[in-house]
Amino acid sequence: MCGIIARIGGNDGAVDELLTGLENLEYRGYDSAGLAVKNGSGPEVVKREGEISHLKEALADEVPDGGLGIGHTRWSTHGPPTDANAHPHTDCTGDVAIVHNGIIENYDELKSELADRGHEFTSDTDTEVVPHLVEEALDDGDDPETAFRRTIEKLSGSYAVAMITSHDHAVYATRRGSPLVLGVSDGEYFLASDVPAFLDFTDDVVYLDDGDVVVVEPDGHRITSADGERVDRAIRTVDWDPEDAGKGGYDHYMLKEIHEQPAALRQTLRGRADPATGEIHLEDFPPGTFEGVKRVQFVACGTSYHAGLVGAQFLSEGGVPAQAFLASEYATAQPPVDEETLVIGVTQSGETADTLAALRQATASGAPTLAVTNVVGSTAARECDDALFIRAGPEIGVAATKTFSSQVVSLALLGERLVRDVTGTRTDGARERLEALSELPGHVQQILDYTSARRVAAEYRDSDAYFFIGRGSVFPVALEGALKFKEISYEHAEGFAAGELKHGPLALVTPDTPVFAVFTGRNDEKTLGNVKEAEARGAPVVAIARGDADGARQYADDVLTIPDTHPDVAGVLANVQLQLLSYYAADLLDRPIDKPRNLAKSVTVE
């Protein structure tokens, strides 16, 4: 949600590198873009509603280059997408330029006070109060850093803020509840909401903590706490290549990332499981790590929540009480939490606001916490007691694909470790399951090579609605299939536990509502009964099933085939077919697949 980029270094080059950063942040979702560049005098601001291409057109004549600047992609919260509401925002004098992610909760009060003191506002945003507060502090005689600090102290809410002024040659930035990372290169520094923004220029990063204030100048950077005390943050090298964050010849990031799943899964599995012996080797979780755990709670949102549902089912079947909660509902649900409750936050970015809030609540209740995330150095990874990284590599498309597969596999391995530590025994069929996991990358590749998802998507293109059903561990896969379909095709799609179809949703089934049924080799006869109910109402049925699933083939109108594998692993393969189905359905409808309307890759407000 929104994206910040800042660059400082040399006497020119800022505009091109800021634009590259903004384009690399498009995946986060936005409806306007802008930048401010300092080229000897005050910051010169250009901003436009709409895509970055509109900003480029405006920049052709308006702004000379400089060595220092800030940029922003905005996803509207306060006020509609307009040129005036786009960032950066300035004070009355134009000497201060600010970009901001998040929400300033007390902006109404601050804006009213500033207006009473004569400040004039030109936008509907909460952000605009920030440069005006800095302006007042500068008028009081403060230097820019002190003015910045005094301003931040007055803000309530979540934010990442970056500022430049006409008074010096530096970028000032801070974060609270919204991600911000520093990129370090020879003679150049960058600040951004996410690493891919500056990955073209450097892979050396510094992850900032909440409350950190960073001052970046051409010859170095300095980080202090909210109290002004100097703090050291390590420089880390990310193992992502700029090409990893590009389309690589694919029409869309989503399709590229679907096709990256074999490689991502190999990374997830590498060194962690030995099918020959049935042993688990999680790098930071040796045998006995979880011996004191009595119950497990997963907190997550969206696709990560569906992965958490799979993880909870696996643990429950292994004898460890487990539940999955929507992170946004966790505070309301108020489940029992104590030092014997392990709370696992599943979050691709490690920055999801609702998930972070749930984890913090668990910590305050005395529970140990663990993050399952894709991003080393993310807030979740730093704040939790432990972290398990899914190793999926950068994911740019808003619709999560390879990260879901890697989350499910990571949770299967983590679940096996938990079951062994808590119960003292292996799960039934552990060796066979690990063998199936080791074969998963090759099986996914088979699906990618031979899928008929494009044909099936075309066959049912003009349907009224789309239903997805599954039982047990593939009920979450049905939910995930429906989520992918609706978020990128904009068509009505719903996921149901197969047995629930007859308890209400069957009233909606017609010949124009295809039903996609997932079969795993376990409880298939019951799912087949639900398929017959839908078929009796005239609905076409598409089975996602193994090639030898005769029952499914007999009653289905179409089949999306998955390789023969362990029932606990079949859901990952079925999900790949459903990802492809959603992609091709959206492509046929000419939807903006990588940037679906109203959605953002990283949701950093509650």
Side-chain angles (χ1 to χ4, degrees):
M1 179 177 295
C2 302
I4 285 174
I5 179 69
R7 183 266 195 189
I8 183 170
N11 297 317
D12 54 26
V15 169
D16 286 343
E17 293 186 359
L18 289 171
L19 286 171
T20 297
L22 292 176
E23 288 172 334
N24 289 344
L25 288 170
E26 285 187 295
Y27 70 92
R28 294 172 67 88
Y30 73 107
D31 48 38
S32 60
L35 55 77
V37 174
K38 186 179 178 189
N39 48 25
S41 57
E44 296 197 41
V45 176
V46 179
K47 50 188 184 177
R48 289 293 184 270
E49 173 192 353
E51 297 184 354
I52 291 171
S53 59
H54 299 165
L55 176 63
K56 285 184 172 181
E57 291 170 3
L59 282 167
D61 302 313
E62 290 193 32
V63 175
D65 203 0
L68 167 66
I70 55 177
H72 191 267
T73 52
R74 177 179 186 251
W75 194 86
S76 300
T77 55
H78 294 74
T82 64
D83 289 356
N85 287 334
H87 296 213
H89 289 285
T90 59
D91 66 323
C92 294
T93 66
D95 287 331
V96 179
I98 293 280
V99 289
H100 159 240
N101 291 350
I103 292 177
I104 298 171
E105 295 172 354
N106 61 335
Y107 89 99
D108 270 334
E109 175 188 346
L110 293 171
K111 186 173 183 178
S112 178
E113 293 171 355
L114 286 162
D116 288 343
R117 294 195 290 269
H119 290 265
E120 296 183 1
F121 292 85
T122 60
S123 79
D124 305 312
T125 68
D126 55 338
T127 302
E128 198 180 358
V129 301
V130 181
H132 289 277
L133 290 169
V134 173
E135 176 191 1
E136 286 196 337
L138 290 170
D139 288 343
D140 289 342
D142 289 341
D143 60 81
E145 181 177 353
T146 304
F148 185 71
R149 287 182 175 278
R150 281 182 58 190
T151 295
I152 296 305
E153 289 173 358
K154 297 176 182 179
L155 306 182
S156 298
S158 65
Y159 48 77
V161 179
M163 176 186 85
I164 60 175
T165 79
S166 63
H167 299 273
D168 59 4
H169 201 71
V171 180
Y172 301 87
T174 189
R175 61 159 288 177
R176 177 183 172 187
S178 194
L180 196 64
V181 294
L182 173 69
V184 180
S185 184
D186 270 346
E188 284 186 308
Y189 293 88
F190 301 87
L191 283 159
S193 302
D194 204 353
V195 172
F198 52 70
L199 201 55
D200 291 69
F201 312 112
T202 182
D203 56 4
D204 288 335
V205 305
V206 177
Y207 294 99
L208 302 176
D209 283 353
D210 273 1
D212 283 355
V213 175
V214 58
V215 181
V216 188
E217 296 174 305
D219 58 353
H221 71 278
R222 173 169 45 87
I223 303 173
T224 53
S225 67
D227 298 328
E229 296 294 322
R230 186 70 179 260
V231 295
D232 291 323
R233 301 281 180 240
I235 298 177
R236 308 185 187 201
T237 301
V238 296
D239 61 356
W240 296 351
D241 187 275
E243 291 185 6
D244 293 338
K247 290 183 182 177
Y250 289 90
D251 289 338
H252 298 92
Y253 285 113
M254 182 180 179
L255 185 61
K256 173 178 177 276
E257 288 155 4
I258 289 172
H259 280 261
E260 286 176 341
Q261 285 178 110
L265 290 169
R266 289 188 186 97
Q267 285 287 99
T268 301
L269 289 162
R270 190 186 70 239
R272 289 176 164 176
D274 185 349
T277 64
E279 291 302 316
I280 300 292
H281 306 287
L282 296 181
E283 48 273 23
D284 295 320
F285 306 100
T289 299
F290 303 109
E291 284 181 352
V293 172
K294 299 297 183 185
R295 67 194 68 83
V296 175
Q297 296 172 355
F298 294 90
V299 291
C301 304
T303 289
S304 295
Y305 170 67
H306 299 153
L309 287 170
V310 177
Q313 173 131 1
F314 180 87
L315 286 174
S316 296
E317 291 175 353
V320 179
Q323 293 174 278
F325 294 89
L326 288 166
S328 58
E329 295 292 312
Y330 189 68
T332 305
Q334 294 186 325
V337 178
D338 56 27
E339 65 278 1
E340 295 179 329
T341 306
L342 176 64
V343 179
I344 300 175
V346 188
T347 162
Q348 185 280 135
S349 67
E351 304 292 349
T352 308
D354 291 316
T355 304
L356 291 173
L359 289 167
R360 289 163 183 161
Q361 177 177 318
T363 297
S365 300
T369 56
L370 189 157
V372 176
T373 182
N374 194 36
V375 182
V376 176
S378 62
T379 301
R382 296 197 310 273
E383 291 190 1
C384 286
D385 298 307
D386 292 294
L388 177 65
F389 298 104
I390 67 172
R391 303 173 176 173
E395 184 175 69
I396 305 302
V398 168
T401 51
K402 64 177 180 176
T403 54
F404 176 79
S405 299
S406 292
Q407 284 173 342
V408 170
V409 171
S410 297
L411 291 176
L413 298 175
L414 179 64
E416 186 66 36
R417 165 59 60 224
L418 271 159
V419 169
R420 294 180 186 187
D421 285 354
V422 174
T423 69
T425 61
R426 297 183 179 187
T427 58
D428 292 339
R431 186 172 296 184
E432 291 80 3
R433 189 181 301 105
L434 292 180
E435 180 64 33
L437 288 172
S438 71
E439 295 172 346
L440 197 50
H443 284 163
V444 171
Q445 189 62 57
Q446 288 180 39
I447 291 174
L448 297 174
D449 291 342
Y450 300 110
T451 183
S452 56
R454 182 193 289 270
R455 178 188 59 77
V456 172
E459 178 71 22
Y460 301 103
R461 172 178 176 173
D462 297 321
S463 300
D464 291 339
Y466 302 81
F467 292 169
F468 297 77
I469 63 172
R471 283 181 179 270
S473 62
V474 291
F475 166 44
V477 172
L479 295 176
E480 176 63 10
L483 176 62
K484 283 293 158 288
F485 203 94
K486 71 180 75 172
E487 69 182 337
I488 64 169
S489 76
Y490 306 161
E491 297 296 303
H492 182 200
E494 298 293 341
F496 305 103
E500 287 299 296
L501 197 63
K502 59 184 175 292
H503 294 288
L506 202 59
L508 300 174
V509 169
T510 73
D512 292 317
T513 53
V515 175
F516 297 86
V518 183
F519 294 86
T520 66
R522 181 183 292 154
N523 296 319
D524 283 358
E525 67 285 352
K526 293 184 178 180
T527 303
L528 189 59
N530 305 127
V531 162
K532 292 177 181 178
E533 292 171 338
E535 189 180 52
R537 275 75 181 176
V541 173
V542 178
I544 302 88
R546 298 170 305 165
D548 61 354
D550 293 336
R553 288 184 171 276
Q554 179 181 352
Y555 289 95
D557 297 275
D558 277 296
V559 178
L560 292 171
T561 303
I562 61 174
D564 187 16
T565 189
H566 192 285
D568 289 339
V569 178
V572 176
L573 299 174
N575 182 66
V576 174
Q577 286 282 27
L578 294 179
Q579 290 171 351
L580 290 162
L581 173 78
S582 298
Y583 172 81
Y584 288 121
D587 194 42
L588 287 166
L589 294 167
D590 198 28
R591 306 302 193 209
I593 290 171
D594 288 330
K595 294 177 285 185
R597 67 189 180 201
N598 305 329
L599 301 179
K601 182 65 177 175
S602 180
V603 182
T604 54
V605 294
E606 293 181 62

